[in-house]
Amino acid sequence: MPNDFVCINSSLRRAARRLGQLYDVALVPTGLTSTQTLLLGQIDGLGAVYGEDGPTLQVLAARLAIQISALTHALRPLVRDGLVEVRQDAHDRRTKHAVLTPLGKARYEQAYVVWVEANRRVEAILGAAAAEKLRSLADDVASQDFLDAYVSGEKPASGTEPSEH
């Protein structure tokens, strides 16, 4: 294999692991990991859209770009610790919703303060422009347009050139 091969996936995974480690260390006083905090934040944010029933697990998994099985595995400790409740839909018992409990809401609010500070530190080190560029590129890669373009082998109609980021 040639030594000049540069793998985007490897670079992004290393960067994601490093950032995850930094956020995990910052979150130690809250008793939550960065993944748990992210889940609580998504449930909280989507709760504003879906009301007291909360988002369905399907919606939550799609938002996080993960499989339902991975989501239910990640939710298990949050449910066990009384931070999240998984409820069956009133009209379709096969559909489940995730809702923050009052304890979950309080813990998320505590973790959010820590998360914001960790994020501020990362952004200060990267610089505002580089941080925005990184977020924008990551959002592009995580988008449905990107997935559709990858599957079809064609550039998305709304695609942006790398120089625009």
Side-chain angles (χ1 to χ4, degrees):
M1 292 171 91
N3 289 337
D4 62 343
F5 177 70
V6 179
C7 179
I8 294 169
N9 184 49
S10 296
S11 295
L12 285 175
R13 283 180 174 262
R14 277 193 324 274
R17 281 192 299 273
R18 175 59 47 93
L19 285 174
Q21 291 164 353
L22 295 174
Y23 284 74
D24 282 343
V25 168
L27 287 162
V28 164
T30 71
L32 296 170
T33 66
S34 58
T35 300
Q36 291 170 332
T37 302
L38 176 65
L39 275 169
L40 294 176
Q42 289 297 314
I43 294 167
D44 186 58
L46 290 169
V49 174
Y50 291 92
E52 65 184 40
D53 287 338
T56 65
L57 298 189
Q58 291 81 359
V59 165
L60 190 55
R63 180 73 169 267
L64 296 167
I66 62 174
Q67 299 292 321
I68 291 284
S69 59
L71 175 62
T72 57
H73 178 76
L75 284 172
R76 229 173 259 134
L78 297 172
V79 171
R80 177 198 67 217
D81 295 344
L83 305 178
V84 172
E85 219 177 86
V86 175
R87 301 177 182 162
Q88 285 186 329
D89 187 89
H91 306 292
D92 181 354
R93 297 188 61 81
R94 295 170 298 174
T95 301
K96 293 183 173 61
H97 298 263
V99 181
L100 292 185
T101 65
L103 178 60
K105 182 80 166 163
R107 288 281 291 283
Y108 173 64
E109 288 171 0
Q110 176 192 20
Y112 180 78
V113 172
V114 175
W115 187 280
V116 168
E117 177 56 23
N119 198 70
R120 187 200 61 72
R121 289 179 65 192
V122 168
E123 189 164 317
I125 293 165
L126 286 175
E132 176 53 36
K133 187 179 199 180
L134 182 59
R135 275 190 302 273
S136 180
L137 285 170
D139 287 345
D140 285 351
V141 171
S143 74
Q144 186 64 44
D145 284 345
F146 181 88
L147 178 59
D148 293 345
Y150 183 86
V151 170
S152 73
E154 297 179 14
K155 219 174 170 180
S158 62
T160 56
E161 293 298 318
S163 61
E164 292 178 16
H165 289 280

